[in-house]
Amino acid sequence: MRILFLGDVVGQTGCLAIKQNLQNVIKENKIDFTIINGENAADNGVGITQNNIDEFFSCGVDVITTGNHIWDQKETYEFIKTQPKLLRPLNLDEKLPGAGFIILTSRNGFKIGVLNLMGNVFMKKCDDLFKTMENFLENKKLKKRL
Ligand SMILES: [Fe+2]
């Protein structure tokens, strides 16, 4: 299993690099699953737009994670409701739209759970990620692959 995780893709330059290279990187390295942190992908370098998401998915991204800049583009509050593969930190207020966890299938046929948590050292306060994780693990039963 080869998982590619790309940290912050920032603004137009970052998105252009993804557009020009990601499909080849996936192919050449036989990547089975691709995760990208896209919270700073918008043209002005903060937040993420519907256009960014469409572009990432068309380049082979499987799931997009985010962090403290998730809501910097106002449109995100709306479109995240229809984009289950765009995660927001699970340890934010549960009344906020979107989800912090998803299970998807990799190119080689394995189920992969992706959980998005955010730390808060030098950051805006969010729920304790360790408590959120413990709570998540207590309530989520993962099945063995048959
Ligand atoms: Fe961030």
Side-chain angles (χ1 to χ4, degrees):
M1 169 72 72
R2 305 190 83 172
I3 297 173
L4 174 66
F5 181 88
L6 295 168
D8 273 10
V9 174
V10 179
Q12 290 175 316
T13 310
C15 289
L16 184 63
I18 294 298
K19 209 170 167 178
Q20 290 177 337
N21 301 299
L22 186 59
Q23 284 175 320
N24 284 340
V25 169
I26 290 171
K27 197 174 169 189
E28 286 168 13
N29 296 283
K30 299 182 174 71
I31 302 297
D32 300 304
F33 196 79
T34 302
I35 306 167
I36 203 167
N37 190 55
E39 63 174 304
N40 296 309
D43 286 355
N44 65 353
V46 288
I48 188 165
T49 64
Q50 178 72 57
N51 192 40
N52 296 138
I53 290 166
D54 294 342
E55 203 167 87
F56 287 157
F57 290 144
S58 74
C59 294
V61 169
D62 293 295
V63 62
I64 302 166
T65 60
T66 58
N68 60 316
H69 290 290
I70 175 67
W71 310 120
D72 287 358
Q73 300 290 324
K74 281 188 180 155
E75 64 178 279
T76 311
Y77 279 101
E78 288 309 314
F79 70 71
I80 198 170
K81 297 170 193 166
T82 61
Q83 295 288 340
K85 296 194 297 180
L86 169 65
L87 299 179
R88 55 110 163 145
L90 185 69
N91 55 332
L92 293 177
D93 189 328
E94 63 184 27
K95 285 176 242 134
L96 287 166
F101 177 71
I102 191 168
I103 296 175
L104 295 166
T105 304
S106 67
R107 283 179 189 78
N108 58 344
F110 287 88
K111 298 275 186 208
I112 297 184
V114 181
L115 174 62
N116 191 155
L117 292 166
M118 178 168 75
N120 59 21
V121 177
F122 307 121
M123 307 282 266
K124 268 189 270 175
K125 195 76 182 150
C126 55
D127 292 343
D128 183 311
L129 72 94
F130 298 104
K131 285 182 186 157
T132 303
M133 184 71 191
E134 279 173 21
N135 189 39
F136 174 84
L137 290 173
E138 278 171 23
N139 293 300
K140 194 83 184 172
K141 295 243 187 293
L142 300 177
K143 293 178 192 162
K144 278 188 178 173
R145 188 165 194 259
L146 298 175

